[in-house]
Amino acid sequence: MSLVVPALRESVMTERRLAPLTALTTLARRPVRVDARTPVTRVSQPPSPAGRSRVVDNAVYSEGRRVATPETAAESREELAAGEDRLAWLGLYRPEPGELGELAELYDLPELAVEDAIKAHQRPKLERYGNTLFVVLKAARYLDAVEEVEFGELHLFLGADFAITVRHSESPDLSRVRRRLESEPALLAKGSEAVLYATLDAVVDGYRPVVDGLATDIDEIETEVFRGDPGVSRRIYELSQEVLEFQRASVPLTGILAAITAGFDKYGVDEELRSYLRDVADHVTQVNERAEAFRLQLRDILTVNATLVAQRQNEEIRELTEASIAQGEEVKKISAWAAILFAPTLVGTVYGMNFDEMPELGWQFGYPLALLLMLGVSLTLYLVFKRRDWI
């Protein structure tokens, strides 16, 4: 394996391998470490709960062509010892700890890296442990039915004569990666470096539909914002979280590819692979630029939505205020006319009392005076309310 990270990281990783590790004590371990050219006693793999192995495909290649399809990892190790310049490529899907433990012994995998592969909750990274390169990638795919982005995790163990891929999600489809490389023996003959390139390329290609899906969602959100959809704020927040999660998957690839590129000359990477990896790096840059643009666009959309919401709230408050004022005006008018009509009623009520000893009852001008009094009071109240714009 010639792709490496800087020499400083090599020394750090060597120290890390010496550290004690308790998380792997329950793994199925083989009694002795097997050398690449030492005959191996065949040992059956620990069965999974479903009663079958989690190895999706297991093949040994020579000069880029499949020469064997072993049934077990131990058989793959035997096939490597059967000839020069062979490559064993094992693909696993959500394996059991026991299977990874066996592979750790057969291929001398670093325990810290195996622990990471078991936990399967890692950030994208590239680390070198002696002669083994460990790479963690985050795959993503866009689900049209629910308009969401689904993220998965992929681990690669790469050595001089082996490539082990551990997939914890449905994407990417590594069977397509394998078929592609098998259709190009000259590329696959370059070893585990070709597997790394093809896997990186598949992961990055899987980002393109995600970017297109996010762009469509953002366009729909912009329409909903100006349409006044009440649930758009929640959708903006959810989409912003998806974009951030997508950036956590794609942005670290820039550092991973930079570390690989830095080792081109030092480790004599094939010129064709160099150009392929540079092309992947260019695609990653484009993806990251669009993702950052999405993040900024969603931030602006959220600001615009907050402004529009505030405007709508102000408009509603203004309308409520105007309605309240109009109701107040109506109340004043009703109150004014009630007062005007109440005044004659008050006078008439006094004169309508059934008492004999009322001096006005025997006065001949009593009735006209009462009428004039009621009219005068009503007219006075009308003028007062009119002057105050109550009527």
Side-chain angles (χ1 to χ4, degrees):
M1 182 65 187
S2 59
L3 291 179
V4 296
V5 294
L8 178 60
R9 176 171 289 183
E10 292 184 20
S11 61
V12 174
M13 292 302 106
T14 301
E15 295 177 0
R16 289 180 61 186
R17 291 193 63 198
L18 299 178
L21 182 66
T22 59
L24 299 180
T25 56
T26 59
L27 299 184
R29 310 293 283 176
R30 297 178 62 83
V32 293
R33 184 163 295 173
V34 182
D35 184 75
R37 302 185 181 279
T38 302
V40 179
T41 303
R42 190 169 302 174
V43 178
S44 61
Q45 296 185 10
S48 68
R52 61 184 178 85
S53 173
R54 301 298 180 91
V55 177
V56 177
D57 201 350
N58 182 2
V60 176
Y61 301 90
S62 178
E63 296 182 354
R65 300 185 184 277
R66 185 184 292 235
V67 295
T69 306
E71 294 184 0
T72 66
E75 291 180 7
S76 299
R77 197 63 182 167
E78 290 179 4
E79 291 291 341
L80 287 179
E84 297 287 344
D85 297 328
R86 289 194 169 194
L87 173 70
W89 183 359
L90 295 89
L92 292 83
Y93 175 71
R94 293 178 179 172
E96 294 297 314
E99 289 179 302
L100 286 178
E102 182 183 9
L103 289 174
E105 289 295 337
L106 285 172
Y107 292 94
D108 193 22
L109 302 182
E111 291 185 339
L112 290 179
V114 174
E115 180 186 2
D116 290 343
I118 292 173
K119 293 181 178 179
H121 292 289
Q122 306 296 318
R123 297 289 296 273
K125 62 181 178 179
L126 180 147
E127 293 180 339
R128 175 129 184 128
Y129 297 85
N131 295 323
T132 301
L133 195 67
F134 177 61
V135 182
V136 179
L137 302 175
K138 284 284 190 180
R141 65 173 180 169
Y142 186 80
L143 304 178
D144 290 314
V146 293
E147 295 185 342
E148 292 180 356
V149 181
E150 180 184 75
F151 298 93
E153 193 165 325
L154 177 65
H155 300 241
L156 292 89
F157 297 90
L158 305 168
D161 57 357
F162 68 87
I164 300 173
T165 57
V166 181
R167 184 162 53 96
H168 292 276
S169 61
E170 298 300 326
S171 62
D173 185 359
L174 293 184
S175 63
R176 297 179 59 184
V177 176
R178 190 183 291 265
R179 288 195 300 269
R180 173 194 173 186
L181 289 178
E182 289 181 343
S183 67
E184 302 179 54
L187 179 59
L188 184 54
K190 300 181 187 302
S192 55
E193 299 171 347
V195 176
L196 174 60
Y197 152 69
T199 304
L200 280 168
D201 191 46
V203 170
V204 175
D205 284 346
Y207 290 162
R208 295 178 182 177
V210 175
V211 170
D212 294 338
L214 290 174
T216 301
D217 288 345
I218 291 175
D219 291 341
E220 293 175 354
I221 281 178
E222 287 181 331
T223 302
E224 293 173 0
V225 165
F226 290 100
R227 192 165 48 194
D229 191 328
V232 71
S233 296
R234 181 184 181 87
R235 182 65 181 127
I236 293 173
Y237 174 79
E238 292 174 347
L239 191 56
S240 298
Q241 294 304 306
E242 289 183 356
V243 170
L244 290 175
E245 186 68 21
F246 182 59
Q247 286 185 304
R248 295 189 188 102
S250 63
V251 171
L253 289 183
T254 302
I256 291 175
L257 289 164
I260 294 174
T261 303
F264 280 171
D265 295 331
K266 180 178 180 180
Y267 300 100
V269 178
D270 183 85
E271 188 61 38
E272 184 179 6
L273 278 177
R274 295 187 185 194
S275 62
Y276 288 157
L277 288 167
R278 290 193 188 99
D279 183 63
V280 174
D282 290 340
H283 292 165
V284 170
T285 300
Q286 295 172 8
V287 168
N288 288 335
E289 288 176 350
R290 293 200 64 183
E292 178 63 15
F294 289 160
R295 187 185 68 82
L296 296 176
Q297 188 175 0
L298 285 170
R299 184 190 65 183
D300 294 340
I301 291 175
L302 188 61
T303 302
V304 171
N305 182 64
T307 302
L308 292 176
V309 170
Q311 289 178 348
R312 285 193 292 269
Q313 290 177 343
N314 292 336
E315 184 67 20
E316 292 174 357
I317 293 174
R318 184 183 64 81
E319 292 176 356
L320 290 174
T321 303
E322 291 178 352
S324 178
I325 293 174
Q327 290 176 353
E329 293 295 325
E330 294 298 326
V331 169
K332 288 195 299 184
K333 291 179 180 180
I334 294 173
S335 301
W337 284 112
I340 292 172
L341 295 175
F342 175 73
T345 303
L346 177 62
V347 175
T349 302
V350 172
Y351 277 89
M353 292 187 293
N354 298 321
F355 291 100
D356 294 331
E357 299 299 329
M358 293 183 68
E360 296 86 355
L361 295 178
W363 186 34
Q364 62 177 347
F365 296 108
Y367 178 68
L369 181 62
L371 293 178
L372 289 174
L373 181 61
M374 288 188 285
L375 178 62
V377 172
S378 298
L379 181 61
T380 302
L381 290 175
Y382 176 81
L383 293 175
V384 170
F385 291 135
K386 184 71 174 177
R387 185 174 182 180
R388 296 189 178 184
D389 294 330
W390 278 42
I391 54 177

